[in-house]
Amino acid sequence: MKSNSIASMIAGVGLALASVFAAGHAEARTLRFSHTDNPGGSRDKAAHVFADKVKEYTKGELTVKVYPSGQLANDPKAIEQLKLGGVDFTVSATGSYATDLKTLNLTALPFLVDSYEQGWALYDTSPWMKAQFAKLPAKGYRMLATWEAGFRSFTTKGPLNSPADAEGKKMRVYPNDMLRWTMEAIGFDTVVMPVTEVYLAIQQGTVWGQENPVDTIKSLRFYEVAPYITLTRHIYSPLPMAISENTWQSLSDDEKAAVQKAANDAATYSRELVRGSEEKQLQEMEAAGATVTRPDIAPFRKAADAVYTRARAEYGDDVDALLTDAAKIRKEMPAN
């Protein structure tokens, strides 16, 4: 009897331990991170930094699986999937989120800032920007941190020395009013398409070129099919990182703090990586046969003036609220 009792006790302890072990494993979750950068690109590297930090800060209770190259969805569809629960995280240009909050189109107004430091201050401290981001949880997702992509410039099949060279040429854009209006003001005919389709479209002659930050041009190899890189730096285009609001609300307070900390760490990594890599990337693309030019920006700026007038007619006081924040930052942080 005694031996049966001991055996029963041991069995009971074993079952209890098994239950604890199983419960621990039941709590572990894998979250999905979708983006359109190629493996090894700066966004992909930052996404893996984020995944590593989430695992570290949650002691393995949360893990993040990264899906690059639009495997799960292109940028607009990934944002839609945030709301539907198909993905937990994505990172994309600010204007990509404007489908849900139209005023975010204004972040693509031309020549808002002149340096990375000014751009970081705009996204981190602008009252107007903070107010816009605060509206997004009601849309189904929230911004955790702003990663870096850089300033948008052109890659084209032929030289682009001034707006005169743009007349009648087809330029790929993503669906953003400011970007489309800027391209039209410069002289381009615009064609909207997902970034995942652009390489083939240039190769087949559907469009004459595209515009993106240097890091994206390098990562997606656009210089191979549009070898003229013209550094107009016409739009500052960072990458806010978003989490599904449903996912966020499912996290404990400790998990939220860990995920937020991981996103901030990845943002710091992303900003330093992109800014520090730009000149090297340009040199590598030149070595591969691309032609890099730094044109007189004045004609491009003058052409883009019409965009502000058009934006005020469409967006009202939000335009001057953003321009006021940007002007204050430019004054406080003059570009070198």
Side-chain angles (χ1 to χ4, degrees):
M1 290 288 296
K2 187 173 180 182
S3 109
N4 284 342
S5 257
I6 292 172
S8 296
M9 262 173 74
I10 292 171
V13 169
L15 285 169
L17 288 172
S19 263
V20 169
F21 184 76
H25 275 263
E27 290 171 6
R29 295 173 60 189
T30 298
L31 304 177
R32 307 207 297 175
F33 193 135
S34 173
H35 68 75
T36 54
D37 196 12
N38 281 340
S42 70
R43 253 181 294 177
D44 187 56
K45 288 178 179 178
H48 283 283
V49 168
F50 173 71
D52 290 344
K53 292 296 184 181
V54 167
K55 186 174 182 180
E56 176 187 344
Y57 295 152
T58 65
K59 297 181 170 55
E61 290 181 6
L62 295 177
T63 60
V64 176
K65 184 170 176 56
V66 178
Y67 294 86
S69 304
Q71 290 176 28
L72 299 183
N74 62 28
D75 287 317
K77 289 181 180 177
I79 293 166
E80 188 66 25
Q81 284 299 309
L82 284 178
K83 296 180 284 185
L84 298 174
V87 300
D88 301 289
F89 306 100
T90 196
V91 61
S92 187
T94 321
S96 299
Y97 301 96
T99 301
D100 296 308
L101 185 61
K102 188 178 178 181
T103 48
L104 287 179
N105 277 320
L106 295 174
T107 62
L109 278 166
F111 303 108
L112 275 178
V113 295
D114 302 316
S115 71
Y116 281 105
E117 289 79 8
Q118 291 175 2
W120 300 342
L122 182 67
Y123 273 75
D124 293 346
T125 68
S126 158
W128 183 87
M129 194 76 68
K130 288 182 176 182
Q132 305 314 302
F133 284 177
K135 299 173 185 178
L136 292 174
K139 306 294 184 181
Y141 51 87
R142 68 175 57 215
M143 301 307 191
L144 292 178
T146 301
W147 296 7
E148 190 56 87
F151 288 83
R152 301 181 81 90
S153 289
F154 292 101
T155 50
T156 53
K157 297 187 76 137
L160 178 64
N161 296 315
S162 73
D165 294 326
E167 290 296 328
K169 306 290 199 313
K170 293 185 184 298
M171 175 60 54
R172 176 267 171 180
V173 296
Y174 69 79
N176 174 280
D177 287 348
M178 300 309 110
L179 187 54
R180 180 168 52 82
W181 294 350
T182 300
M183 297 302 102
E184 291 170 355
I186 290 171
F188 288 111
D189 295 332
T190 57
V191 179
V192 175
M193 68 175 64
V195 72
T196 47
E197 298 175 12
V198 174
Y199 186 102
L200 186 60
I202 297 173
Q203 193 173 48
Q204 294 179 340
T206 305
V207 293
W208 189 63
Q210 65 85 50
E211 49 80 60
N212 256 301
V214 168
D215 183 76
T216 304
I217 292 167
K218 176 72 163 56
S219 174
L220 299 184
R221 309 177 75 88
F222 291 138
Y223 63 92
E224 294 179 344
V225 289
Y228 290 86
I229 302 172
T230 306
L231 298 177
T232 48
R233 294 167 63 88
H234 49 275
I235 292 170
Y236 178 59
S237 186
L239 303 165
M241 178 201 163
I243 181 173
S244 164
E245 185 64 11
N246 287 336
T247 302
W248 180 256
Q249 295 301 337
S250 74
L251 302 177
S252 69
D253 288 346
D254 286 346
E255 288 170 338
K256 287 176 181 175
V259 168
Q260 182 63 70
K261 185 179 179 184
N264 293 343
D265 288 352
T268 298
Y269 171 85
S270 170
R271 286 173 169 182
E272 292 174 353
L273 176 65
V274 171
R275 181 178 63 174
S277 300
E278 190 171 276
E279 283 304 317
K280 181 182 177 185
Q281 290 173 330
L282 289 169
Q283 291 168 9
E284 289 172 350
M285 289 188 284
E286 281 186 300
T291 299
V292 176
T293 59
R294 292 171 171 82
D296 178 7
I297 299 300
F300 291 94
R301 282 184 182 272
K302 184 176 179 182
D305 281 346
V307 179
Y308 292 95
T309 302
R310 195 169 178 181
R312 286 186 179 97
E314 179 75 21
Y315 291 86
D317 292 342
D318 278 298
V319 175
D320 287 310
L322 174 56
L323 292 179
T324 296
D325 288 354
K328 181 174 182 285
I329 288 166
R330 289 198 309 272
K331 182 178 179 180
E332 292 173 349
M333 305 175 64
N336 293 332

